[in-house]
Amino acid sequence: MTQYVHPGLDISAADIVKSGKPLYPRVPRDSDAASIKVEPDVTPTPVERRNEILAAPGFGKYFTDHLVMATWTREAGWGDARLVGSDSSAGGHAMNALHYGQSIFEGLKAYRQEDGSVWTFRPEANSLRFQRSAYRLALPPVPTDLFIGAIEALVRQDIDWVSDDPEKSLYLRPLEFGAENALGVKPSDKVQFVLIASPVGAYFSGGVKPVKVWISEEFVRAAPGGTGEAKCAGNYAASLLAQQDAAAKGCDQVVWMDALERRYIEEMGGMNLFFVYGFGADARVVTPALTGTLLPGVTRDSLLTLAGDLGYAVEEGKISVDQWREGATSGEITEVFACGTAAVITPVGSVESKNYGSWTMGNGEPGPISMQLRAALVDIQTGHAPDVHNWMHRIS
Ligand code: COI
């Protein structure tokens, strides 16, 4: 059986961080030509309807007129990359992804700046993580040229779907899945790469409103050696029951602990967590270290850099639930927030649990450092602050 080539991708994010190398280095592109055939043979959404959607898009409810797809086969590798109408479909009911979950995805956004230009944020980082997720799921890596070329082609085609409201953006969802129609349990011989786009506003209704979280003591999100570090569909499927449990307890989101000791905080729902110790210029910003079971968030990585730029002490460490409760109660931990591409930064207002008690973070309102970090990130993304780290990628 032909093996895929995964040069350098079989190193876990945890090991990269341990080695002191950057998790998401800038990857030079081989060429600009991803050779995507443009076949936009669709009737576009009428302008009035599109404007109606853009006025109140919600999150992930509407999709633009087109998508990009490319196919990999074991014999021929990647090919047949094309931009087509968004109702094009890529498989049948026997597809490997539907039965055995050989499926990964990414999330990134395109932002319109005041001069009308459209940009994405760190697409190479998403491409690299997509390739590492592919390695873990025995999928072939999508070349960075194809990944970024698809983004450029789709955003340029559907550019009118990028709102000029700085609180809105175009969410880009690359996905890759086993598309062979066969029921044998083995890596798929046919794989599909698809990129879809959805105009979005705030991820949580109510915008930047603190959430109430439920610490799950019954379920775990990921165990060492599992797929926690990969952005794979199965991780999200496995989270839904715990999320439902949290909702039944009157909470907005579930917080995960580590699988081995069931003590250390890992993530909130599908987002990374940050803890702020102290106040003002002396504050220390701490996030759970990447152990192999956490998703190495691009927003997490960017906030670690921005917090350092703002002069805060920054640390990747281990925080137990007991330390969280005691730190919040004593006032040592002043703010906690979750972060991700979709919601950017979401403050945690209060915590509930079965055996660890309940507590409130500060006065339950968004903390000043959480909001400062959010503004620092969003200002770069929307062109209101200089892009000193060269994170932005111009599309149009
Ligand atoms: C993100 O924050 O981008 C996520 O991954 C959440 C997404 C699954 C909606």
Side-chain angles (χ1 to χ4, degrees):
M1 189 197 281
T2 322
Q3 289 299 315
Y4 327 116
V5 184
H6 277 103
L9 300 170
D10 51 347
I11 306 168
S12 83
D15 288 339
I16 296 168
V17 170
K18 260 188 242 146
S19 76
K21 294 198 179 121
L23 187 53
Y24 294 120
R26 289 300 296 246
V27 190
R29 291 176 65 190
D30 300 335
S31 77
D32 278 341
S35 63
I36 293 165
K37 211 164 142 198
V38 178
E39 299 172 347
D41 186 18
V42 291
T43 312
T45 307
V47 179
E48 307 73 50
R49 177 64 187 139
R50 190 178 67 225
N51 288 340
E52 205 174 272
I53 292 170
L54 289 179
F59 187 90
K61 293 199 290 193
Y62 304 100
F63 297 90
T64 64
D65 294 318
H66 300 91
L67 57 75
V68 173
M69 57 164 75
T71 307
W72 178 94
T73 60
R74 201 168 292 282
E75 306 78 50
W78 286 106
D80 194 23
R82 60 210 153 96
L83 183 146
V84 291
S86 60
D87 56 357
S88 311
S89 140
H93 295 153
M95 276 197 307
N96 168 309
L98 292 178
H99 299 261
Y100 308 127
Q102 199 190 15
S103 179
I104 58 170
F105 68 94
E106 272 301 322
L108 68 166
K109 286 173 172 171
Y111 310 84
R112 195 181 287 280
Q113 302 196 347
E114 260 166 28
D115 64 0
S117 60
V118 174
W119 303 66
T120 50
F121 182 73
R122 305 188 71 185
E124 296 99 334
N126 291 92
S127 172
L128 196 50
R129 186 173 63 181
F130 201 45
Q131 293 172 345
R132 289 192 192 126
S133 298
Y135 169 75
R136 183 61 185 83
L137 272 283
L139 285 161
V142 170
T144 298
D145 279 349
L146 175 56
F147 186 89
I148 296 183
I151 290 170
E152 289 171 344
L154 184 58
V155 175
R156 284 181 191 142
Q157 179 69 38
D158 286 341
I159 194 94
D160 293 338
W161 288 87
V162 189
S163 171
D164 49 17
D165 177 342
E167 290 298 321
K168 294 176 184 147
S169 57
L170 186 64
Y171 186 77
L172 301 163
R173 172 53 66 88
L175 61 151
E176 182 184 355
F177 52 92
E180 183 182 357
N181 276 289
L183 297 183
V185 183
K186 61 165 189 65
S188 190
D189 284 345
K190 182 183 170 200
V191 172
Q192 204 74 48
F193 166 59
V194 178
L195 173 70
I196 56 176
S198 170
V200 297
Y203 182 70
F204 293 112
S205 54
V208 192
K209 205 177 84 202
V211 290
K212 186 196 260 196
V213 300
W214 173 256
I215 296 183
S216 181
E217 293 166 59
E218 193 176 352
F219 303 108
V220 291
R221 177 186 169 274
T227 56
E229 202 175 80
K231 202 160 176 70
C232 65
N235 289 346
Y236 293 79
S239 77
L240 299 176
L241 182 60
Q243 179 59 39
Q244 198 172 279
D245 200 23
K249 304 292 188 308
C251 294
D252 305 295
Q253 284 287 312
V254 60
V255 163
W256 305 104
M257 290 189 286
D258 75 288
L260 288 185
E261 298 189 54
R262 303 284 184 109
R263 278 171 42 177
Y264 295 105
I265 299 295
E266 298 219 317
E267 295 186 17
M268 180 191 93
M271 302 170 76
N272 294 117
L273 279 166
F274 276 80
F275 295 76
V276 180
Y277 288 74
F279 300 94
D282 295 331
R284 189 160 49 97
V285 176
V286 185
T287 191
L290 300 178
T291 54
T293 54
L294 277 77
L295 187 81
V298 177
T299 307
R300 173 191 182 279
D301 189 69
S302 308
L303 290 175
L304 282 171
T305 301
L306 291 179
D309 291 353
L310 290 167
Y312 299 117
V314 173
E315 216 176 276
E316 293 176 73
K318 261 180 155 184
I319 299 134
S320 69
V321 184
D322 286 329
Q323 286 167 334
W324 184 359
R325 186 191 57 247
E326 283 155 22
T329 313
S330 71
E332 192 196 1
I333 300 178
T334 48
E335 303 175 35
V336 176
F337 63 85
C339 68
T341 298
V344 192
I345 278 183
T346 301
V348 174
S350 58
V351 185
E352 302 275 330
S353 69
K354 186 169 167 204
N355 290 308
Y356 286 95
S358 314
W359 60 96
T360 302
M361 291 309 309
N363 58 6
E365 292 301 312
I369 293 176
S370 311
M371 297 314 283
Q372 183 191 24
L373 284 168
R374 184 180 193 278
L377 181 59
V378 173
D379 282 353
I380 293 173
Q381 292 169 334
T382 53
H384 293 101
D387 176 23
V388 294
H389 298 289
N390 195 18
W391 282 336
M392 298 304 287
H393 177 92
R394 187 178 180 132
I395 293 194
S396 168

